[in-house]
């Protein structure tokens, strides 16, 4: 298992060997869209917390002078004119960006099958999807190419593939990490997330890339941080919204989740909680997100970015049309404005519950990974895969998906904290992982 | 299906969003949207008037504008880096205004 500690590159030859290994092994997974063989360099004088640590980046994040495709034909030969803020921060900490990873087109999907460059396969069983949309990044960690990888999470796109591929996936509080240089999807929901095999590694990367950035006004959250409070009880309490998770859960996931709960009960207080509006989350998400998508995608008019929207794939077109419809005159009140109001109710429910418990816990995905091709022509059944991850983005909360034993039956368990409690969530997740990892 | 969209609406929305919808695709959109909009009707029983709207959900920030002074931005070369049709540092764009007749 790769960790930051055991993956540092020590010579030019070691970096060359890593590229060779990826080229050979990745033919079965297709996790990388491009390798930065001409850009990535080893440098023995490099200082910093990530000195010469190889990292993979989702291909919707800009790295100066390299191609950024967002998994789309529209940007297939688009060269980034600048670095995203997180890329600057990673490189200042000494990281080696080895390449860009596959994703659903413009990060829209839950299986990485919507990539214009072909799907990615799950290392636990290559006939299965790796989840999405950051499936490529999840696979680079799961296949042991790199110790940590970067993804983006608008409705679960880091936690979901982490759960499918048996690795850890962390999505911080909205605004903790600058989105400057990230190709926008749903701007009020988008957040950068981190994949790894150790919680400590994710913590290290998070501390390197977090922080306010004048180039992203939503990252300027110093003031609101003060209002964050943690429930203070002696024993950590975990709330489970049983009323919500019972529906749609597959037998395998249900069984595994119950085993995990029983094990956690030995050490923590388990509380049955109620989130009265959470059932509406998926509908609210699939109204708000496409409206923001339609707005963000308007820039692909064929002028500044090469090809226009007609080169887009089915799912992206569907979301643009859906978002245009639900926000158009005559329908905005029925859909968009109502969804905004319900989003607020969902957030208030979460806030109330965090006065009773420290964390909320539920499965990350309702089902195990499915066969490639199985759901691709049924958008509604694909959207339902996000049911447990989207409430977190609607409320801007930090959450982590922690895997059970690594095998094709591995299930991700999601722990959700109150806003700005990212540090305590990561600290306690180390213990959660120790308990869960052998179940 | 409670929510039926007709072909005219699909065509109108396609035009509004700048996407050409080819003949065979229209039926597919009709079917998918009916399913999706049915799922959205779950929100019908909520009275959203009781909820106050307002600042940003998470950050509590209102609109932010930066101080009005010069800042380093992309150079001309960077701006035109990915543009295939430009002339003397100008973008060449498709015609957007037409007479009714052509």
């Amino acid at each position: 298992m790769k960790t930051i500690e055991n993956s540092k590159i020590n010579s030019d030859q070691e970096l060359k060997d890593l590229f060779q290994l990826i080229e050979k092994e990745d033919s079965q997974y297709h996790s990388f869209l491009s390798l930065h063989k001409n850009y990535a360099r080893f440098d023995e004088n490099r200082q910093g917390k990530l000195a010469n640590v190889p990292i993979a980046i989702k291909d919707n994040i800009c790295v100066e002078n390299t191609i950024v495709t967002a998994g789309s034909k529209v940007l297939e030969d688009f060269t980034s004119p600048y670095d995203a803020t997180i890329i600057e921060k990673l490189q200042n900490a000494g990281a080696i960006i080895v390449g860009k990873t596959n994703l659903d087109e413009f990060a829209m999907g839950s299986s990485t099958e919507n990539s214009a460059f072909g799907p990615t396969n799950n290392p636990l069983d290559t006939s299965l999807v790796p989840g999405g949309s950051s499936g490529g990044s999840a696979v680079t960690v799961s296949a042991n190419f790199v110790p940590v990888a970067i993804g983006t999470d608008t409705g679960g796109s880091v936690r979901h593939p982490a759960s499918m591929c048996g690795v850890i996936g962390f999505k911080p509080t909205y605004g903790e990490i600058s989105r400057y240089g990230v190709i926008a999807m749903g701007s009020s929901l988008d957040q950068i997330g981190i994949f790894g095999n150790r919680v400590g590694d994710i913590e290290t990367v998070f501390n390197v890339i977090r922080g306010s950035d004048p180039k992203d006004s939503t990252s300027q959250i110093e003031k609101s941080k003060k209002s964050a409070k943690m429930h203070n009880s002696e024993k950590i309490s975990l709330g489970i919204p049983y009323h919500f998770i019972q529906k749609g859960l597959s037998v395998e996931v249900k069984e595994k989740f119950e085993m995990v709960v029983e094990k956690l009960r030995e050490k923590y207080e388990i509380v049955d909680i109620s989130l009265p509006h959470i059932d509406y989350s998926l509908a609210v998400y699939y109204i708000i997100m496409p409206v923001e998508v339609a707005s963000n995608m308007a820039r692909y008019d064929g002028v500044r970015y090469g090809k226009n929207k007609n080169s887009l794939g089915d799912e992206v077109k569907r979301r643009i049309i859906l978002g245009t419809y639900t926000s158009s005159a005559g329908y905005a009140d029925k859909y968009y404005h109502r969804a905004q109001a319900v989003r607020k109710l969902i957030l208030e429910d979460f806030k109330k519950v965090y006065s009773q418990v420290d964390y909320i816990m539920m499965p990350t995905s309702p089902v195990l990974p499915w066969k490639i091709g199985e759901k691709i022509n049924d958008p509604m059944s694909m959207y339902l895969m996000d049911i447990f991850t989207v409430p977190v983005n609607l409320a801007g909360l930090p959450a982590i998906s922690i895997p059970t034993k690594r095998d094709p039956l591995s299930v991700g368990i999601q722990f959700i904290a109150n806003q700005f409690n990212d540090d305590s969530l990561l600290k306690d997740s180390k213990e959660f992982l120790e308990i869960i990892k052998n179940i | 299906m409670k929510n039926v969209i007709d072909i005219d609406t699909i065509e109108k929305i396609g035009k509004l969003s700048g996407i050409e919808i080819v003949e065979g695709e229209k039926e597919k959109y009709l079917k998918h949207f009916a399913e999706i909009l049915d799922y959205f009707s779950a929100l019908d029983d909520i009275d959203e008037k009781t909820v106050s709207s307002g600042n940003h959900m998470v950050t509590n920030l209102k609109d932010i504008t930066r101080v009005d002074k010069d800042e380093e931005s992309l150079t001309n070369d960077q701006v035109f880096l990915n543009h295939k049709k430009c002339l003397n540092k100008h973008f060449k764009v498709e015609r957007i205004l037409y007479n009714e007749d052509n």
Side-chain angles (χ1 to χ4, degrees), chain B residues 15 95-102:
Chain B
K15 212 169 168 186
R95 185 177 169 184
I96 52 164
L97 294 176
Y98 293 90
N99 290 332
E100 291 272 304
D101 314 329
N102 58 15

Side-chain angles (χ1 to χ4, degrees), chain A residues 64 77-82 173-174 217-218 220-221 224 277 280 282-284 286-287 303-304 306 309-310 314 317-318 320-322 324-326 328 333-335 338-345 347 377-380 383-384 387 395-396 419, chain B residues 3-5 9-10 13-14 16-21 25 28-29 31-33 35-37 39-61 64 74 78-79 81-85 91-94:
Chain A
E64 192 174 354
D77 51 2
F78 183 84
T79 304
S80 306
Y82 58 85
T173 300
Y174 179 81
S217 60
T218 58
Q220 297 173 343
I221 51 176
S224 24
H277 297 92
Y280 300 110
L282 198 70
V284 168
Y286 274 95
I287 293 172
V303 178
R304 288 161 298 170
K309 285 187 273 192
N310 290 316
D314 273 1
K317 280 188 188 167
R318 183 157 40 239
I320 293 173
I321 296 171
L322 188 61
T324 306
Y325 177 71
T326 55
S328 62
D333 275 344
K334 181 173 162 60
Y335 295 112
R338 186 173 282 166
Q340 288 285 32
V342 181
R343 180 179 186 180
K344 201 146 198 175
L345 294 173
L347 176 62
N377 293 318
D378 184 355
M380 199 56 231
Y383 297 169
L384 282 163
I387 191 149
Q419 280 172 10
Chain B
N3 291 282
V4 183
I5 290 199
T9 312
I10 293 275
I13 298 293
L16 268 177
S17 52
I19 288 177
E20 277 170 37
I21 305 174
E25 281 181 348
K28 198 175 70 188
Y29 281 120
K31 182 179 169 285
H32 289 158
F33 285 161
E35 265 176 48
I36 295 167
L37 294 176
Y39 190 83
F40 292 167
S41 15
L43 298 182
D44 288 352
D45 37 295
I46 293 220
D47 179 13
E48 75 277 13
K49 308 256 173 348
T50 58
V51 187
S52 66
S53 57
N55 300 351
H56 189 279
M57 290 289 161
V58 177
T59 57
N60 257 330
L61 292 172
I64 296 177
L74 295 185
Q78 285 173 317
V79 170
L81 184 64
N82 289 287
H83 196 258
K84 311 286 180 296
K85 292 179 280 181
F91 287 117
K92 199 172 161 189
V93 300
E94 302 222 348

